[in-house]
Amino acid sequence: ELQLVESGGGLIQPGGSLRLSCAASGFTVSSNYMSWVRQAPGKGLEWVSVIYRGGSTYYADSVKGRFTISRDNSKNTLYLQMNSLRAEDTAVYYCARSALLDVWGQGTTVTVSS
Amino acid sequence: QSVLTQPPSASGTPGQRVTISCSGSSSNIGSNTVNWYQQLPGTAPKLLIYSDNQRPSGVPDRFSGSKSGTSASLAISGLQSEDEADYYCAAWDDSLNGPVFGGGTKLTVL
């Protein structure tokens, strides 16, 4: 079964840092495009970042310079390092597989608040 | 404001056919295929239609997709109460090197 499981969310103060993890099973992370997508409370889906099979990375303008996407092939896990967090980063963060976004995790909630 | 434009809401009665539109530009829908996602309340999005008009295994043929130029549509025929959900269109954007989404359409089954 293809599965993604996110973890690492929580309550963090503005300016703080958090690292999200996305553990994959049933397929190989490094063989796929892997994305992070977020959804603010009551809002729509917003693409955050993608890592290509070859390792190239791209970011939405709203997080560029603050967030870093990476993967650990030995652990078959995707990461999102989030620095300088702002209130507007509050959202459920999902990881998703491939350019089709055909497999999604259940999401992990990040709340940025003092 | 989302890159792709969808109506915020749509509705229909059981058995009816409803369509949801999605408008983009040459850098996304105009040059890449469109995918549609269904998000039931409190759950993660689920891929509903990919490559403009293909259904993943397990998706009923009541759901269909089409595309023309820089616009796409999702059609749901034989509407059922369990179709009540949020629907999102998405397409890869060549200028962003990532996917862009519509703002979502909340479908209500009356």
Side-chain angles (χ1 to χ4, degrees):
Chain A
E1 181 189 6
L2 307 176
Q3 193 173 17
L4 292 167
V5 178
E6 300 97 336
S7 60
L11 174 63
I12 188 78
Q13 291 189 338
S17 298
L18 213 53
R19 189 179 82 156
L20 306 183
S21 299
C22 168
S25 56
F27 69 95
T28 302
V29 163
S30 61
S31 297
N32 287 271
Y33 286 19
M34 295 295 298
S35 288
W36 287 97
V37 177
R38 68 184 181 183
Q39 187 170 34
K43 302 296 185 182
L45 303 173
E46 178 191 18
W47 170 72
V48 172
S49 181
V50 65
I51 183 167
Y52 286 8
R53 286 185 295 265
S56 298
T57 60
Y58 298 94
Y59 301 90
D61 287 344
S62 57
V63 306
K64 202 172 294 182
R66 300 188 298 123
F67 290 11
T68 303
I69 190 171
S70 64
R71 67 190 181 208
D72 185 330
N73 297 342
S74 66
K75 296 182 178 179
N76 207 29
T77 298
L78 178 73
Y79 300 100
L80 185 68
Q81 177 67 43
M82 305 186 296
N83 299 330
S84 302
L85 282 162
R86 306 167 180 168
E88 53 264 36
D89 296 318
T90 293
V92 175
Y93 285 73
Y94 298 100
C95 57
R97 184 186 83 153
S98 87
L100 298 182
L101 304 176
D102 60 346
V103 180
W104 294 67
Q106 85 288 351
T108 187
T109 300
V110 173
T111 303
V112 184
S113 175
S114 54
Chain B
Q1 188 170 346
S2 301
V3 175
L4 305 182
T5 301
Q6 297 179 236
S9 64
S11 63
T13 57
Q16 265 192 332
R17 181 178 187 271
V18 297
T19 61
I20 297 172
S21 62
C22 175
S23 177
S25 68
S26 59
S27 65
N28 40 68
I29 294 179
S31 53
N32 296 291
T33 59
V34 176
N35 306 316
W36 290 89
Y37 304 88
Q38 178 192 58
Q39 187 176 33
L40 297 170
T43 68
K46 167 193 164 186
L47 180 64
L48 193 66
I49 296 287
Y50 68 96
S51 297
D52 299 337
N53 54 21
Q54 302 299 302
R55 286 184 307 276
S57 174
V59 173
D61 59 6
R62 303 186 295 105
F63 295 91
S64 62
S66 63
K67 189 181 88 169
S68 178
T70 58
S71 295
S73 291
L74 172 71
I76 309 172
S77 60
L79 199 61
Q80 300 180 3
S81 58
E82 55 261 40
D83 298 333
E84 194 159 280
D86 293 325
Y87 293 85
Y88 294 90
C89 60
W92 208 261
D93 192 290
D94 293 335
S95 60
L96 294 177
N97 292 295
V100 289
F101 289 94
T105 298
K106 184 175 184 63
L107 175 63
T108 301
V109 181
L110 303 169

